[in-house]
Every structure is written in structure tokens, then in C-alpha cells.
Amino acid sequence: MNYLDRLEAEAIYILREVAGQFDKPALLFSGGKDSICLVHLALKAFRPGKFPFPLVHIDTGHNFQETLDFRDALVEELKETLIIRKVEDTIKSKGLTDAKGKFPSRNPLQTYTLLDTIEEFEFDACIGGARRDEEKARAKERIFSVRNEFGEWDPKKQRPEPWNLYNGRIDKGENVRVFPISNWTELDVWHYIKRENIALPSIYFSHDRLCVRTETGQLMNVNPFLELDEYDEIITKRVRYRTVGDMTCTAAVESDASNVDQIIEEIVSTKISERGATRMDDRISEAGMEDRKKCGYF
């Protein structure tokens, strides 16, 4: 077995552990490359049967249309169940204050919708595509990461996982976030996409896009949610996206990489993580991601 075989086997084993240990699991599916790889792994783990869990998308309303179109086409092709819950509905029902400012990310509000969805469907495990190399707070989590009855995560209360033994025992009201590709890197994901010939949204590949440059030099796509200043210059740039989140907080990178081989070559030469380079919401504070995760964020 080469290293991709080992990573794949580990992820499939984890997915089957989830199916065996939990009553009502779900796979959190954004339409991004990592969650698409999870769906591909689930096909290998459970076909020719149906998935033992639905796909769940927490829709902020600020998503890239390319990602939504790909999500819908993939679900239609696979004939699997997709549950969509919208942050917009949560804002209205709970009287929340929508994000303000030049780049109004709804990521903090996304937590409310996710926790409400977990409660609505009584999910006891949520499978996600987070990886340890993305961000230092995510590097603190185990494969099975327990949340208490309020959806809160405590980095100091992580269960040991010796010999790949995963403890899914939880009390009523608690749930577990499961990360089958936690041991993968961004480069591993792209090598796997190449080997398996996995289709992706076009946004991951080089294309021309209207952008505005931030004060820190990042390229944000022009969209209806940005509050542009009079001195902002709209420019057309050849870009691609390394990670896909809200269009209000995810920056593009200048690139001519139009195929997987070129993307792999590009990643090998970069020294900045995908989130570090492109996710503005991770720059709120030194512990921005960890603080959100403690409150129930994915």
C-alpha cells in the first residue's frame, strides 16, 4: 500500500466506525473539495448500499454559486438525501443581528443554525472534512471530537485514541464531530483527487474574476454583499480558490493553474496554508477559530 492507500483505508474505516457506533450520524457537506472527497470515500465505504447518513449543508446565503450548483448536481447524481438549513432563517427566528462591515461574514451565525439542525434531527455524530494542517485549533482535535449537550468543545477534554480505537460513547444530548481525513494534508487531498479523477467545482481552477484588493493584499471577489468604498478599485484578475467558504470572507489567489497537476505543483512551492492565505475570518484574532469552535462551530 502506498501512502494514499493508507489514508483512504483509514478514512473508510472511520466512516464505517461512525455507521456502527452512532444511531443518527450526518455528513456535513459544503460542496468544497474536502467534503467532496468525503462523499467519494463514503461511496467506497458503503456502495452498493445507500449512505447510512444524510448530507447536511448549513447554507449561509453567501455561498459561491458554482459550489451550490455542483452540490445540487452531485446529490442528484448519487440519489442521496440532502438536508439544507439556512442561516437567514435562523437570523429571522432568533432575532439575530446580521453581519455588518465591508466583508460581512456569517460564519459566527452559522453555529446557531448548525446546533439547531443537530437538535432538530437528533444527530449524534457529524462527519466533517476538517484537516489538522488547515489551522492550529483544528490540530488540537481528535478524530472523534466530543461536544457537550450545549454543542461546546473543550480542547482540554480530548479522549485518547491509541491504536486507532475510537470511543463514540456519549451521554444523551452530546454529539461527536468526526474527521476522517484529519491526517491528510492539502497536498494529499489534491493527489487523491488526481488519482481518483474526482470532479470539482470550476472555482478551484484558474479563471478570470472581478476582484477588489484588501488593505492586506488579498483578492476578494466582487459580490452583492461587500460594502465597497469609493477608493476601492475593481480589477479583473486570473485567480482560483484554494478553499471555498463564504464569498464575503474567502479570498482568491492569483494563479494560472487550470488543471490538477498544475495545482499540485503550485501547492508544493507555497509556504502558506490554504486558510492562512485566503480566509479572512481566521484573522479576527490569534485564537479566532478556537473561540468559535468552543461555542459549537464546526
Side-chain angles (χ1 to χ4, degrees):
M1 299 176 69
N2 65 23
Y3 81 102
L4 283 180
D5 292 329
R6 294 182 183 277
L7 290 174
E8 179 188 72
E10 178 189 52
I12 289 173
Y13 169 70
I14 292 166
L15 288 170
R16 288 173 175 167
E17 281 292 295
V18 171
Q21 292 195 45
F22 296 98
D23 295 324
K24 293 184 177 181
L27 193 156
L28 301 176
F29 181 69
S30 66
K33 69 181 186 307
D34 297 322
S35 60
I36 291 170
C37 280
L38 282 181
V39 170
H40 184 81
L41 290 162
L43 289 170
K44 290 198 169 191
F46 303 113
R47 282 295 193 255
K50 296 279 286 184
F51 291 174
F53 39 68
L55 307 181
V56 175
H57 184 206
I58 306 301
D59 185 352
T60 63
H62 291 174
N63 297 284
F64 290 96
Q65 191 59 47
E66 297 100 316
T67 309
L68 296 179
D69 291 343
F70 187 93
R71 175 201 69 187
D72 294 340
L74 182 62
V75 170
E76 174 62 26
E77 176 188 347
L78 299 179
K79 306 301 181 186
E80 293 291 343
T81 301
L82 173 65
I83 295 171
I84 300 173
R85 289 296 179 269
K86 297 183 177 181
V87 173
E88 185 75 35
D89 295 335
T90 306
I91 292 173
K92 293 176 181 177
S93 65
K94 291 184 178 294
L96 302 176
T97 301
D98 205 350
K100 306 294 183 184
K102 189 170 185 176
F103 305 107
S105 171
R106 283 179 171 173
N107 271 355
L109 301 181
Q110 193 175 13
T111 299
Y112 294 96
T113 310
L114 174 59
L115 295 179
D116 285 350
T117 304
I118 290 172
E119 182 179 5
E120 177 185 355
F121 293 95
E122 298 181 336
F123 292 135
D124 51 4
C126 292
I127 304 163
R131 306 186 323 270
R132 290 190 175 113
D133 72 319
E134 289 181 90
E135 202 275 341
K136 59 187 177 181
R138 286 181 165 170
K140 295 181 179 181
E141 292 199 89
R142 299 291 194 262
I143 301 294
F144 277 24
S145 184
V146 179
R147 265 62 171 174
N148 66 18
E149 64 271 25
F150 303 107
E152 298 167 334
W153 172 67
D154 187 344
K156 296 181 179 180
K157 293 183 179 180
Q158 295 287 287
R159 296 173 177 176
E161 294 176 338
W163 307 293
N164 294 331
L165 297 175
Y166 305 115
N167 180 4
R169 181 176 295 178
I170 56 175
D171 294 326
K172 185 175 178 57
E174 295 179 333
N175 67 85
V176 174
R177 307 292 167 82
V178 181
F179 305 113
I181 61 172
S182 186
N183 290 329
W184 299 38
T185 65
E186 180 187 12
L187 193 57
D188 293 334
V189 169
W190 280 103
H191 277 301
Y192 190 69
I193 288 168
K194 177 183 176 181
R195 190 184 82 170
E196 300 293 309
N197 195 27
I198 298 172
L200 294 176
S202 59
I203 197 169
Y204 281 108
F205 302 96
S206 179
H207 58 283
D208 290 332
R209 204 174 194 97
L210 288 177
C211 300
V212 59
R213 196 177 295 276
T214 71
E215 294 179 355
T216 55
Q218 293 177 302
L219 289 170
M220 300 296 295
N221 79 299
V222 176
N223 63 75
F225 308 107
L226 299 187
E227 294 186 7
L228 298 180
D229 297 316
E230 59 181 17
Y231 56 80
D232 284 323
E233 180 185 1
I234 297 176
I235 52 180
T236 300
K237 287 290 184 179
R238 190 78 174 163
V239 301
R240 73 174 190 86
Y241 285 83
R242 289 177 67 184
T243 181
V244 178
D246 274 11
M247 64 175 68
T248 52
C249 67
T250 307
V253 294
E254 290 192 68
S255 173
D256 290 319
S258 58
N259 59 55
V260 175
D261 285 325
Q262 291 173 344
I263 289 173
I264 289 173
E265 183 179 349
E266 191 176 84
I267 294 171
V268 168
S269 64
T270 188
K271 296 181 179 179
I272 304 175
S273 71
E274 58 192 297
R275 292 189 70 95
T278 63
R279 292 298 286 270
M280 295 182 66
D281 52 329
D282 289 344
R283 299 187 176 195
I284 296 172
S285 71
E286 186 69 18
M289 169 67 86
E290 184 165 327
D291 290 340
R292 294 201 303 275
K293 288 172 73 64
K294 287 178 179 179
C295 296
Y297 185 75
F298 167 66

